[in-house]
Amino acid sequence: MNRRSRDSHPASGHRDDGTTTDTIALEIIRGKLLAIADEMGVVLKRSSMSPVIYEVLDFACGVCDAEGQLISQTNGITVFTGTFAIQVNFILEKFAGRIQPGDIYLLNNPYAGGTHYNDVGVIKPIFRDDKLIAFSISISHWTDVGGKSPGSLTADSTEIYQEGICFPGIYLYKAGVQQDDILEMIAANVRIPKMALGDLNAELAAVRIAEKRIHELCEKYGTDVLKQTFHHVLETSERVSREAVAALPDGVYEATDWIDGDGITEERFLTKVRVCIAGDHMTFDYSGSCAQVQGPVNCSRGALISAAKTIFKAIVDPQAPSNEGWFRPLDVIAPDGIVFAATKPAPTGWYYEGTGQASELAWKALAPIVPHRVSAGSSNSLCVTVLGGIDGEKQEPWVLIEPGMVGWGATDERDGNCVTSAITNGDTFNYSVELLEAKFPLRVHQYALNIKGGVGAGRYRGGYGSVREYEILSDTAVLSASFGRSIEKPWPLNNGKKGSCNFFELDLENQRSRAARAPTTIMKRGDRICMYTGGGGGYGDPLERPPDEVLEEVRSEYITAEQARDEYGVAITADGSHVNETATAKLRQEGKH
């Protein structure tokens, strides 16, 4: 059991001179540290050039202490913030004894705590009086980092070298001196260099504003008090986290699931998790999962740990801001070479399919013991679509990277969310129709709830996914797409019904086909892609859903009168205005036998 410094009183900080900083001051500084992370996010969003950053919000920012422990973060991609500590510690180890004021590092290596090459991290050590006191870090998804296809996310890549340029933890600035060769190398290897370098400058602005604000805190409160606050943040969060775990029933909880193809083959791959709770400690063990696969749905160990942190935090306290203290009671076990801890040169471009799978496994395993925190299964895939090419009118390269919004599972008290980002993608969005048509040579033909696909019925039903249909307006475009949950339906809870699957339809030269993983595919002017995301699983017996709520679903045209009868045992009058109470009572009585 980890009891780091637990003998010190958690309500106060102790200075080197023996005086004490009161809890109120520590909490004020905690709030300021959270505000710093939020300001980093505002600066990055407003300075970036990529719509995937400023519109989708595919980024995250944070502050770590001198030991690389996450102290504060901004909202954004959930899975990024779980990797901050791993990535900063990689820099600490690689540059041990050489870190100096003015250094800034560039890191996107999945096998050094990262996710995939597109997610580029900028890490800045912060010094005070020539002593390292903190790190600021920003990570954002660059629209293109080179590689086999536009957007660098090739659904049929078989090794990581096809996925773009790697920054294995290198100097971007060394003792304050910009490394111009690195910028030249970036410009020579990506399809849209102006955008890439613009996004890099936005990340630099974010980490620099954090440094400025940290110095302001030191000037106002003193460096010692800042360090005490770091300690206070970590220790108080650890204490609450351990108490939350200790309140759960000890035991072993297991779940299995399937990866529906990897982009190379349509074979299904078995995944497993074993969650052990003992006292105030929890372990996620993924040892029973399949070996790493040929296609890019693998994730690296750092991404897996971050996915596990996402679920752990949702269980112990989903509302409180994250920091490394929350995760001290958590261990993650995964042998090298499995799909969730892939080793080089396995491709990881679509790592979020792997992390989503790992997260959902733990979610499923823990659902029976924390129904107040866990929903039924969702259509858990980012359902990412990547399109790119040359815009004929502007004579410029273009790349669209867009996540799909899916239906979430129902809970023990309400219907599932409709058209919401998948589990590890945090506070992200898809593009507004207006921006999409203004920025890219595409026409949007529809954006609607995926009513036809349906959801899992239950006392509370699952949430609906979406339908988006695009027409290509450039002469040619290159498509890559990867939709998980295309065979295995979202799981229900407490006698609810399963949800529905994700898929897309391609209309190429008037030949329509249905798929879930698209290898590098050439599309031409007038071709269309229609993306369908699935509905979440239901919670509870559908026969217990109030008839009036079922009637409202029929009136809203979410379901038909026939579905009301068959799925919920509710008979609707011929004019569709009322519930036939006598017929409904009979149907429900028959359904219980």
Side-chain angles (χ1 to χ4, degrees), residues 254-261 268-274 285-293 297-299 304 338-341 353-362 364 380 485 488:
E254 298 180 315
T256 61
D257 205 344
W258 295 89
I259 296 174
D260 298 332
R268 302 176 74 216
F269 303 94
L270 181 66
T271 58
K272 295 182 179 181
V273 72
R274 192 170 186 263
D285 185 349
Y286 292 92
S287 299
S289 297
C290 67
Q292 63 191 46
V293 296
V297 299
N298 302 292
C299 68
L304 169 67
I338 67 169
V339 68
F340 299 136
E353 297 296 322
T355 53
Q357 186 87 5
S359 298
E360 182 98 344
L361 270 171
K364 184 178 182 180
N380 187 40
R485 276 279 180 268
E488 189 70 18

Side-chain angles (χ1 to χ4, degrees), residues 260-415:
D260 298 332
D262 64 350
I264 305 299
T265 173
E266 295 182 1
E267 180 182 351
R268 302 176 74 216
F269 303 94
L270 181 66
T271 58
K272 295 182 179 181
V273 72
R274 192 170 186 263
V275 180
C276 301
I277 301 175
D280 63 357
H281 194 86
M282 190 180 298
T283 302
F284 290 3
D285 185 349
Y286 292 92
S287 299
S289 297
C290 67
Q292 63 191 46
V293 296
Q294 295 181 72
V297 299
N298 302 292
C299 68
S300 60
R301 181 177 300 279
L304 169 67
I305 292 172
S306 187
K309 287 178 177 179
T310 300
I311 302 307
F312 181 83
K313 184 63 166 57
I315 299 302
V316 297
D317 192 335
Q319 302 300 325
S322 282
N323 61 69
E324 211 60 37
W326 289 102
F327 308 116
R328 288 176 176 173
L330 173 67
D331 280 331
V332 180
I333 298 173
D336 285 343
I338 67 169
V339 68
F340 299 136
T343 57
K344 194 173 182 178
T348 65
W350 300 80
Y351 82 94
Y352 32 76
E353 297 296 322
T355 53
Q357 186 87 5
S359 298
E360 182 98 344
L361 270 171
W363 194 255
K364 184 178 182 180
L366 292 168
I369 64 169
V370 281
H372 60 294
R373 289 279 167 85
V374 173
S375 66
S378 71
S379 294
N380 187 40
S381 169
L382 284 191
C383 297
V384 170
T385 303
V386 184
L387 286 162
I390 302 296
D391 187 326
E393 293 184 5
K394 300 178 181 178
Q395 285 301 303
E396 294 178 350
W398 64 280
V399 177
L400 163 77
I401 299 174
E402 183 180 35
M405 302 290 115
V406 302
W408 273 62
T411 75
D412 63 342
E413 59 183 8
R414 61 176 176 78
D415 294 341

Side-chain angles (χ1 to χ4, degrees), residues 64-123:
C64 297
D65 66 10
E67 287 74 46
Q69 300 176 99
L70 176 67
I71 300 297
S72 65
Q73 66 169 68
T74 186
N75 289 334
I77 296 289
T78 307
V79 78
F80 286 176
T81 52
T83 67
F84 282 176
I86 304 171
Q87 291 172 294
V88 172
N89 272 279
F90 176 82
I91 294 298
L92 276 167
E93 293 176 11
K94 180 173 181 177
F95 294 93
R98 295 182 287 154
I99 299 175
Q100 56 188 325
D103 287 353
I104 302 179
Y105 306 98
L106 201 58
L107 178 64
N108 71 342
N109 187 357
Y111 303 105
T115 51
H116 61 179
Y117 283 167
N118 289 79
D119 294 334
V120 179
V122 173
I123 300 171

Side-chain angles (χ1 to χ4, degrees), residues 17-30:
D17 61 6
T19 60
T20 300
T21 305
D22 64 72
T23 305
I24 294 175
L26 294 174
E27 288 297 323
I28 289 172
I29 300 171
R30 184 206 291 258

